[in-house]
Amino acid sequence: MIWCILVVGFLLPQSLADPGFFTSIGQMTDLIRTEKDLVTSLKDYIKAEEDKLEQIKKWAEKLDQLTSTATKDPEGFVGHPVNAFKLMKRLNTEWSELENLVLKDMSDGFISNLTIQRQYFPNDEDQVGAAKALLRLQDTYNLDTDTISKGDLPGVKHKSFLTVEDCFELGKVAYTEADYYHTELWMEQALRQLDEGEVSTIDKVSVLDYLSYAVYQQGDLDKALLLTKKLLELDPEHQRANGNLKYFEYIMAKEKDANKSASDDQSDQKTTPKKKGVAVDYLPERQKYEMLCRGEGIKMTPRRQKKLFCRYHDGNRNPKFILAPAKQEDEWDKPRIIRFHDIISDAEIEIVKDLAKPRLSRATVHDPETGKLTTAQYRVSKSAWLSGYENPVVSRINMRIQDLTGLDVSTAEELQVANYGVGGQYEPHFDFARKDEPDAFKELGTGNRIATWLFYMSDVSAGGATVFPEVGASVWPKKGTAVFWYNLFASGEGDYSTRHAACPVLVGNKWVSNKWLHERGQEFRRPCTLSELE
């Protein structure tokens, strides 16, 4: 809605270590600057080597001319006393100087700089995390491998391509996760690019080695056998492929015999291949969640949409908003989700981001069993917490939330700033603690999370929506706006329709900050009701 006028038994290819780390956009931009610095250092090293070779070249040319003359009449040449002196000088002194010049290592400066910068380089976990982010985006946004490989993504400014080596690496990462579905997709993409003539250090034998086993693991024995034979055509001595070929033929012969003696039902059961295309971390609501991330499956009928309005809001006659009321828009009816437009300025956003950047760390979630904060694979972002007392801008933002919601922020959690890089997401979750999590916020002593306020501090080129799978709602990021909803009914019961998720960022960079308001202090601001669903 627009303002009124206004994301088995045989040898296998060797596995990689288990990944799971995430690098934020802020850190990656720092790495770009680091790499730029290293490129400058490398060019300085190249220039130094070129200067060195130029000196050696001039020396060689001079001596070549001199020795050519001398060898024509050696006795006559050294008969001249100056030539005799200079010959002694060259052989005793100048050739030693040349030797020192040749042996001089011009790479010291570059190697020293590289050593210093290496401490900031990503590690294996970072690389694997970035690969897993690409696989996550592929699933969520229904992208085929060719589209990703060619860089044909919506909203991209800097188009980039994947090489055979890149595709092979993605396939290996999927393989390590026992995700044979994606292993097959990316090994096939690598094979396609090799067939198209791309020059690569990766050969077809290596690709087919992984591909045949991934296909076998998904139950397609015929295709696995075909790929193994293709591999052996290229490398007849391949030990693992020869072993696999015998094994595949043995299994197929065994199944053929079983089919002859078994009933039709038993035969069907034995030969039915495993279902392909289901991610290893499949969730019952994942399909609905991913559809909403793509902008599909939104359950807002025209009749319901007509009941959504936008208005000017003065915070219940709050003096701060009487002359300059806030722009308020209904995003959804049940649960009621309200968006505030132009509610945080660009200057405030930059201050909040600058405060958060030095302390960004892997985002945490509440462990329902311990009630403590912990990291989780289903939340991939970096976050930082800001207190109102450390900067007047943060304090002013907190008071703005209080003035517009009418809720007391003195018992709220600190302002949490989060950065979702490419592939960053937060899978479906509740902000409030359910009845089976009585100790979730016990340490805070302020009761359950009554409401959520979420600032969007950046636009996102593609992906990154906030979606509510239970009700089919999608809310898209828009810089300078904020959305607000109640997690609890006025009775104190949890509103399960508020289950929501942060979709993976497909292209761009997503900055948000949120304020979780708690029950304590709201007794007279939002009085309790007798009905559980009010």
Side-chain angles (χ1 to χ4, degrees):
M1 185 176 175
I2 303 174
W3 175 247
C4 298
I5 326 178
L6 311 127
V7 144
V8 334
F10 49 96
L11 293 172
L12 314 179
Q14 189 175 0
S15 298
L16 299 171
D18 178 54
F21 196 77
F22 173 79
T23 305
S24 73
I25 285 286
Q27 288 174 311
M28 286 191 281
T29 54
D30 289 340
L31 289 177
I32 288 174
R33 288 191 272 281
T34 297
E35 190 170 43
K36 174 63 177 175
D37 179 57
L38 285 175
V39 169
T40 301
S41 181
L42 179 60
K43 289 170 75 174
D44 289 342
Y45 161 63
I46 293 171
K47 180 67 167 58
E49 288 285 11
E50 288 174 342
D51 290 344
K52 170 183 164 181
L53 286 172
E54 188 61 31
Q55 291 182 58
I56 296 170
K57 184 180 177 182
K58 288 179 179 178
W59 172 262
E61 289 173 349
K62 182 181 75 173
L63 283 184
D64 183 45
Q65 185 178 3
L66 185 64
T67 53
S68 294
T69 303
T71 52
K72 291 177 182 177
D73 181 14
E75 291 185 6
F77 185 83
V78 295
H80 194 300
V82 173
N83 287 339
F85 165 74
K86 294 186 71 168
L87 175 63
M88 295 301 108
K89 179 175 177 288
R90 280 197 305 274
L91 292 174
N92 183 53
T93 305
E94 295 180 17
W95 274 100
S96 295
E97 291 174 354
L98 179 64
E99 180 183 18
N100 291 334
L101 177 61
V102 171
L103 292 175
K104 185 177 181 181
D105 190 350
M106 311 304 291
S107 67
D108 287 349
F110 170 68
I111 295 300
S112 175
N113 192 19
L114 182 61
T115 302
I116 293 170
Q117 299 291 2
R118 187 176 281 118
Q119 61 182 312
Y120 305 111
F121 282 12
N123 55 27
D124 289 342
E125 284 185 327
D126 297 320
Q127 182 177 332
V128 171
K132 289 174 73 175
L134 264 180
L135 300 182
R136 186 160 58 242
L137 293 172
Q138 180 181 4
D139 285 346
T140 304
Y141 297 103
N142 277 347
L143 302 171
D144 60 69
T145 53
D146 197 54
T147 296
I148 298 175
S149 182
K150 290 179 179 177
D152 293 329
L153 302 177
V156 293
K157 293 181 180 178
H158 310 286
K159 194 170 182 179
S160 186
F161 303 88
L162 291 179
T163 63
V164 170
E165 288 90 344
D166 297 329
C167 297
F168 184 71
E169 177 65 24
L170 287 168
K172 286 208 300 181
V173 169
Y175 175 85
T176 352
E177 298 290 309
D179 179 3
Y180 301 113
Y181 168 66
H182 285 106
T183 304
E184 179 184 359
L185 291 180
W186 284 103
M187 289 303 172
E188 284 184 337
Q189 180 65 30
L191 198 60
R192 265 195 304 275
Q193 292 182 203
L194 284 172
D195 288 338
E196 290 168 0
E198 182 177 325
V199 178
S200 172
T201 57
I202 304 296
D203 56 38
K204 291 184 179 181
V205 170
S206 300
V207 176
L208 287 166
D209 194 12
Y210 279 93
L211 180 56
S212 59
Y213 183 72
V215 168
Y216 160 74
Q217 281 286 40
Q218 294 178 92
D220 194 343
L221 198 56
D222 290 333
K223 185 176 179 181
L225 184 64
L226 186 67
L227 291 166
T228 302
K229 288 180 178 179
K230 189 174 180 181
L231 189 162
L232 288 170
E233 288 175 7
L234 299 171
D235 183 3
E237 304 302 319
H238 197 284
Q239 184 178 356
R240 181 165 45 244
N242 277 300
N244 290 353
L245 179 65
K246 292 176 183 177
Y247 181 80
F248 292 153
E249 290 174 338
Y250 166 74
I251 292 294
M252 291 183 78
K254 193 174 179 181
E255 286 187 356
K256 188 175 180 181
D257 292 339
N259 289 340
K260 289 179 181 179
S261 58
S263 66
D264 290 338
D265 290 341
Q266 291 172 328
S267 175
D268 290 342
Q269 186 177 2
K270 286 181 178 290
T271 57
T272 301
K274 296 177 184 178
K275 186 175 181 182
K276 296 171 68 173
V278 178
V280 290
D281 59 343
Y282 180 81
L283 297 174
E285 63 188 337
R286 179 174 290 277
Q287 186 177 8
K288 191 187 302 181
Y289 155 57
E290 292 181 348
M291 286 179 66
L292 290 170
C293 289
R294 296 191 296 269
E296 304 167 6
I298 298 173
K299 297 179 180 178
M300 178 60 75
T301 63
R303 184 175 180 179
R304 284 173 63 188
Q305 196 165 10
K306 286 180 180 178
K307 297 180 181 180
L308 303 181
F309 297 96
C310 39
R311 65 191 69 81
Y312 287 103
H313 179 62
D314 62 8
N316 295 320
R317 305 294 294 170
N318 186 297
K320 297 177 185 175
F321 295 101
I322 289 177
L323 293 178
K327 299 172 184 176
Q328 194 182 75
E329 175 187 1
D330 294 331
E331 283 280 351
W332 208 258
D333 51 0
K334 292 182 180 179
R336 192 181 183 209
I337 305 169
I338 298 171
R339 188 193 293 264
F340 290 87
H341 290 264
D342 303 324
I343 205 62
I344 183 170
S345 69
D346 289 350
E348 289 173 325
I349 286 172
E350 291 309 310
I351 290 172
V352 169
K353 285 166 61 176
D354 288 343
L355 289 170
K357 282 176 183 177
R359 59 183 92 169
L360 283 174
S361 60
R362 179 70 187 269
T364 55
V365 296
H366 274 279
D367 187 323
E369 295 182 3
T370 65
K372 295 182 179 179
L373 292 172
T374 183
T375 59
Q377 292 300 320
Y378 57 84
R379 186 178 193 186
V380 186
S381 65
K382 292 224 166 182
S383 65
W385 299 85
L386 304 180
S387 300
Y389 63 80
E390 62 184 294
N391 190 282
V393 170
V394 179
S395 178
R396 188 164 68 241
I397 288 171
N398 289 340
M399 288 309 301
R400 189 175 306 154
I401 295 170
Q402 176 168 300
D403 293 337
L404 290 171
T405 63
L407 298 176
D408 188 351
V409 296
S410 65
T411 59
E413 295 173 48
E414 293 178 344
L415 188 71
Q416 186 190 52
V417 182
N419 177 218
Y420 295 84
V422 174
Q425 65 164 4
Y426 193 175
E427 290 183 2
H429 62 282
F430 297 103
D431 280 351
F432 65 91
R434 275 73 69 211
K435 289 182 178 179
D436 58 347
E437 306 171 317
D439 297 330
F441 304 111
K442 187 176 180 180
E443 290 184 356
L444 298 177
T446 52
N448 210 344
R449 286 174 173 169
I450 192 172
T452 297
W453 178 285
L454 177 65
F455 283 111
Y456 292 114
M457 302 198 301
S458 67
D459 292 313
V460 180
S461 299
T466 305
V467 300
F468 295 73
E470 293 295 314
V471 297
S474 293
V475 179
W476 300 93
K478 184 179 179 184
K479 187 178 182 181
T481 71
V483 290
F484 172 78
W485 67 86
Y486 279 102
N487 297 305
L488 307 179
F489 292 112
S491 63
E493 292 294 319
D495 183 353
Y496 284 79
S497 68
T498 61
R499 185 169 173 81
H500 60 286
C503 295
V505 175
L506 177 56
V507 178
N509 179 18
K510 180 182 176 182
W511 281 92
V512 298
S513 57
N514 55 271
K515 194 78 172 174
W516 284 303
L517 299 108
H518 284 248
E519 291 177 293
R520 299 293 177 265
Q522 320 305 343
E523 293 83 357
F524 298 104
R525 292 172 180 260
R526 194 192 190 214
C528 189
T529 62
L530 298 178
S531 171
E532 288 188 0
L533 299 179
E534 290 183 4

